Amino acid sequence: MVLYLDYNATTPLHPAVLDQMIAVYRDNYGNAGSRTHVYGERASAAVELARTQVASTLGVDKSEVIFTSGATESDNLALLGLAAWGWEHGRRHIVSTPIEHKAVLEPLAYLSSKGFDVELAPVGVGGRVRAEDVLARVRRDTLLVSVMHANNETGVVQPVHEIGAALKSTNTYFHVDAAQTFGKLVPELRKLDYDLLSLSGHKIRGPQGIGALVVRKRGYQRPPLQPLTYGGGQEGRLRPGTVPVALVAGLGAAAEIAVAEANHWRSACQAIKDSVLRQLEQVEHYVNGDLVSSMPNCLNVSFPGIDSEALMLALRGELAVSNGSACTSADYRPSHVLEAMKLDDRRLSSAIRLSWGSGDTDGPSLTPLVTAVMALR
Ligand code: PLP
């Protein structure tokens, strides 16, 4: 059995979530948009329950939750949807960071090619951007600041609370990609000030292909987003198309379970991290990313002198790990996140990411990893 240590890429579906989804597929197959019969009413009730579950995870109003296909779509809707309005109103400046997920960086590159002025604040060697470096770039015409909550490759938590608090009294909108923290850093997210927040189901043992964009109101007004697709009035006219009831119900159930288990998740994951760090002491290594402000469920580590591709090949039959974000691991370019941290080539080419859930609190045995590192040296 290959030990799965790639939870930041995706997580195994929670059995209770699967049961919930099967029940919907089997018994609740109406279209949530059908108003003329009980099948539609039941489907709509399941969708609204899930909306309440997601909203209460974040402490927001349920009308602020827009279901999408995942964090990639949410990021695109946030950035491109707001940019359409910004362009018309002469607000063409956007501030972000170079360590964002490609689901943010690529829409930003597109906007830049269309005439937006996109500025990326630098990150330090610890993988953290400084709030002051972001805020110093905000100008009168800054439409949007987009900063992720925790980085998916290093787990480093970014200073979104300071940034959100400072932007609250300005007319600049704040988008947070919380794909790696939704349902995990529960109290932190409830206290956060933001206008737009992206989340995903499959990072919290929910199904793949479902997520949400949270669109917060300031007073009674929500940010002036324009939809990216047209064709129906669903999801507040922001995301037309038949709502996938079973996926939405799965996301709602996963969110509720994640909240109930959040304290246990945090302490169990931290215990695993301590165990991982102890086991790695047997071989020369560098931890990539500041350990002080990082998620308890992952570790990015380099073994200088070893090629990460060769290491992963050696581990193939025993450990499932990654050397970049899942979406880009098909090509072997060094991670843009580690590059932005200005790590030297030896660290860049030998970095792997281990990420886990709260299951095995004794910590996974890293003997295969330690043995492979020793053999490859
Ligand atoms: N943003 C971050 C920070 C992520 O880690 C991911 C997934 O790896 C995404 C966005 C994309 O999420 P999804 O797979 O739901 O589209």
Side-chain angles (χ1 to χ4, degrees):
M1 176 87 169
V2 178
L3 181 61
Y4 187 68
L5 289 177
D6 204 9
Y7 274 64
N8 275 18
T10 197
T11 59
L13 199 62
H14 194 291
V17 172
L18 179 60
D19 288 347
Q20 178 80 29
M21 291 175 66
I22 289 172
V24 173
Y25 278 128
R26 195 184 45 218
D27 307 324
N28 195 350
Y29 45 79
N31 185 324
S34 299
R35 307 246 168 250
T36 50
H37 49 67
V38 67
Y39 292 88
E41 282 163 14
R42 270 199 237 123
S44 171
V47 169
E48 293 317 310
L49 170 64
R51 203 184 303 283
T52 304
Q53 288 166 318
V54 170
S56 72
T57 303
L58 293 166
V60 302
D61 192 86
K62 73 195 272 281
S63 65
E64 297 173 315
V65 176
I66 307 296
F67 290 119
T68 64
S69 63
T72 299
E73 186 187 333
S74 301
D75 288 343
N76 275 268
L77 179 56
L79 303 172
L80 303 177
L82 199 55
W85 178 89
W87 185 262
E88 285 163 19
H89 291 79
R91 304 264 303 276
R92 299 175 186 174
H93 180 240
I94 298 174
V95 180
S96 188
T97 84
I99 58 168
E100 298 303 307
H101 193 272
K102 296 279 171 162
V104 166
L105 290 177
E106 290 194 5
L108 288 182
Y110 169 78
L111 290 174
S112 171
S113 77
K114 294 289 169 200
F116 276 82
D117 181 3
V118 177
E119 268 190 87
L120 303 180
V123 292
V125 69
R128 202 161 192 262
V129 70
R130 291 181 340 151
E132 53 267 43
D133 286 336
V134 171
L135 294 169
R137 287 171 167 74
V138 174
R139 339 186 281 227
R140 279 170 62 121
D141 65 338
T142 306
L143 171 68
L144 175 72
V145 170
S146 180
V147 177
M148 69 197 328
H149 194 185
N151 182 267
N152 47 302
E153 293 190 35
T154 61
V156 174
V157 177
Q158 305 301 320
V160 289
H161 286 82
E162 286 152 85
I163 298 169
L167 293 178
K168 199 176 167 183
S169 53
T170 72
N171 66 355
T172 294
Y173 295 102
F174 185 36
H175 168 245
V176 177
D177 179 344
Q180 294 291 346
T181 58
F182 171 71
K184 295 174 182 156
L185 303 189
V186 175
E188 288 87 342
L189 278 171
R190 285 183 179 159
K191 278 186 256 150
L192 184 63
D193 290 310
Y194 57 85
D195 298 289
L196 298 157
L197 180 135
S198 302
L199 62 94
S200 179
H202 70 107
K203 310 291 183 183
I204 55 160
R205 308 201 62 189
Q208 297 175 345
I210 187 72
L213 180 66
V214 180
V215 182
R216 299 226 63 189
K217 296 189 186 101
R218 290 196 189 192
Y220 291 107
Q221 276 199 314
R222 73 180 188 188
L225 285 186
Q226 292 183 12
L228 304 184
T229 49
Y230 295 86
Q234 293 96 339
E235 298 301 302
R237 306 202 82 81
L238 280 176
R239 209 287 187 159
T242 301
V243 177
V245 183
L247 293 178
V248 165
L251 168 60
E256 192 171 284
I257 294 168
V259 172
E261 294 182 353
N263 287 339
H264 165 72
W265 180 89
R266 205 182 279 237
S267 54
C269 285
Q270 188 57 51
I272 294 173
K273 190 165 189 167
D274 295 343
S275 157
V276 166
L277 285 165
R278 261 197 315 276
Q279 294 181 65
L280 289 177
E281 279 167 15
Q282 298 170 67
V283 286
E284 187 197 354
H285 69 279
Y286 293 100
V287 171
N288 300 321
D290 183 1
L291 273 179
V292 178
S293 55
S294 65
M295 294 292 283
N297 65 322
C298 74
L299 195 71
N300 194 305
V301 62
S302 290
F303 304 97
I306 289 177
D307 176 48
S308 64
E309 291 298 323
L311 181 56
M312 287 193 304
L313 209 60
L315 290 173
R316 236 185 127 67
E318 290 171 282
L319 296 182
V321 301
S322 86
N323 66 343
S325 70
C327 329
T328 49
S329 53
D331 66 49
Y332 297 150
R333 283 194 313 252
S335 141
H336 71 278
V337 174
L338 302 185
E339 273 184 333
M341 290 159 62
K342 302 206 165 52
L343 301 188
D344 64 40
D345 286 349
R346 270 160 56 88
R347 269 170 84 168
L348 281 182
S349 61
S350 64
I352 62 166
R353 178 186 71 184
L354 310 169
S355 52
W356 50 85
S358 59
D360 174 12
T361 35
D362 290 339
S365 166
L366 294 187
T367 308
L369 175 59
V370 169
T371 312
V373 170
M374 285 173 172
L376 288 167
R377 265 224 173 100

